[in-house]
């Protein structure tokens, strides 16, 4: 956590200050490097590695990523593994977090105001289409918050509605990070996290409800088959 905190300051402060005037691709590359060095630090310091299954499913073109949310690990990992030019959908209050939030704001995310769900959904659909058409991937955690390993929460349909409106494919991602880096727990347990990339889902001729249902069934079904215990 000390290493993570230091890198958040070292990367977050310059990105937060200069990220607005530097080329977006350069800023995205720097943030991607932050993710990569923290993955290396987790392995070296905590003995926590990872493996990726389904790399062949990563599309070469723009898509909408819907990922399981259990810990901070997937935030680091998706930033490291996915294409750098990636727009995230995040809670607005995250932008107020010192250093991390400042850098996040410079990366121009789509922010969600949980007190105004209707307006937030419209912003997601409008801004999401704009950035997708510009060639950026969109990353969404459909559960909206971190969920304890072994439990599940209602999947919001915003990402599915964006796919239905724009026609861009949905890329589902499942993992068991919550087993090793628990929600609201500073301790990291050694072992190997498994991240699984599913096959892209073509939204053509599917309703938003059906898209969301298929994604949720695949993610939760995949997570259920992953190891639920790490080394102690």
């Amino acid at each position: 956590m000390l290493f993570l905190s230091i890198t958040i300051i070292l990367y977050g402060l310059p990105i937060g200050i200069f990220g607005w005037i530097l080329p977006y691709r350069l800023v995205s590359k720097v943030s991607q490097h932050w993710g990569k060095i923290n993955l290396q630090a987790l392995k070296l310091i905590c003995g926590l590695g990872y493996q990726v299954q389904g790399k062949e499913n990563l599309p070469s073109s723009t898509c909408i990523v819907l990922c399981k949310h259990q810990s901070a690990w997937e935030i680091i990992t998706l930033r490291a593994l996915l294409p750098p030019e990636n727009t995230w959908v995040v809670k607005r209050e995250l932008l107020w977090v010192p250093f991390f939030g400042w850098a996040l704001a410079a990366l121009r995310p789509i922010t969600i105001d949980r007190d105004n769900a209707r307006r937030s959904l419209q912003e997601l659909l409008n801004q999401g289409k704009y950035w997708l058409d510009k060639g950026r991937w969109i990353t969404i955690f459909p559960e909206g918050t971190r969920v304890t390993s072994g439990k599940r929460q209602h999947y919001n349909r915003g990402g599915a509605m964006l796919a239905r409106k724009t026609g861009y494919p949905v890329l589902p991602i499942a993992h068991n990070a919550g087993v090793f880096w628990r929600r609201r727990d500073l301790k990291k347990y050694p072992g190997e996290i498994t991240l699984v990339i599913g096959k892209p889902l073509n939204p053509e001729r599917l309703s938003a409800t059906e898209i969301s249902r298929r994604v949720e069934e695949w993610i939760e079904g995949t997570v259920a088959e992953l190891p639920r215990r790490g080394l102690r």
Side-chain angles (χ1 to χ4, degrees):
M1 286 304 299
L2 178 59
F3 182 90
L4 176 62
S5 299
I6 292 173
T7 61
I8 286 175
I9 295 172
L10 291 178
Y11 282 76
L13 185 59
I15 290 177
I17 295 175
F18 301 109
W20 302 96
I21 58 177
L22 293 173
Y24 181 80
R25 183 166 182 79
L26 174 60
V27 177
S28 299
K29 282 281 190 180
V30 173
S31 67
Q32 185 182 57
H33 187 264
W34 169 81
K36 289 180 177 180
I37 66 168
N38 273 286
L39 285 179
Q40 294 173 359
L42 278 170
K43 180 64 175 179
L44 293 173
I45 299 172
C46 305
L48 180 54
Y50 70 96
Q51 63 165 313
V52 179
Q53 299 176 4
K55 286 184 179 179
E56 68 278 5
N57 293 326
L58 277 174
S60 57
S61 57
T62 309
C63 67
I64 301 166
V65 175
L66 298 184
C67 181
K68 181 70 177 175
H69 199 14
Q70 291 184 338
S71 77
W73 179 85
E74 53 268 24
I75 296 174
I76 296 170
T77 304
L78 294 185
R79 178 54 68 183
L81 297 182
L82 295 181
E85 296 193 27
N86 195 322
T87 294
W88 289 44
V89 178
V90 303
K91 295 177 289 188
R92 180 170 296 174
E93 52 264 34
L94 285 179
L95 304 185
W96 306 334
V97 178
F99 302 108
F100 179 83
W102 305 341
L104 186 61
L107 289 168
R108 301 167 182 82
I110 299 172
T111 57
I112 299 298
D113 181 358
R114 291 188 290 186
D115 294 329
N116 195 333
R118 179 173 295 184
R119 179 179 178 181
S120 293
L121 176 59
Q122 195 60 51
E123 288 291 323
L124 169 60
L125 297 178
N126 292 339
Q127 292 186 44
K129 183 179 186 308
Y130 175 82
W131 291 122
L132 286 165
D133 290 344
K134 292 286 186 181
R136 293 192 196 175
W137 290 33
I138 302 291
T139 296
I140 303 173
F141 297 112
E143 293 163 293
T145 189
R146 290 172 292 175
V147 179
T148 302
S149 177
K151 297 184 179 181
R152 59 193 295 174
Q153 185 161 305
H154 170 72
Y155 277 49
N156 296 315
R157 293 195 304 148
M161 294 175 70
L162 178 62
R164 180 71 186 90
K165 175 180 179 179
T166 63
Y168 287 94
V170 172
L171 185 70
I173 295 180
H175 58 83
N176 61 344
V179 173
F180 304 89
W181 185 341
R182 296 174 180 174
R183 182 173 181 258
R184 297 176 180 172
D185 189 353
L186 296 179
K187 188 173 181 179
K188 319 296 183 297
Y189 294 94
E192 185 175 68
I193 296 170
T194 301
L195 182 141
V196 186
I197 302 171
K199 294 181 179 180
L201 174 65
N202 186 343
E204 185 178 357
R205 299 181 182 178
L206 295 177
S207 66
T209 299
E210 180 64 14
I211 295 169
S212 183
R213 184 188 66 80
R214 292 191 184 189
V215 168
E216 180 175 358
E217 287 182 353
W218 183 87
I219 290 178
E220 295 300 328
T222 302
V223 170
E225 296 176 356
L226 298 177
R228 296 189 182 183
R229 295 187 64 183
L231 301 176
R232 295 293 185 269

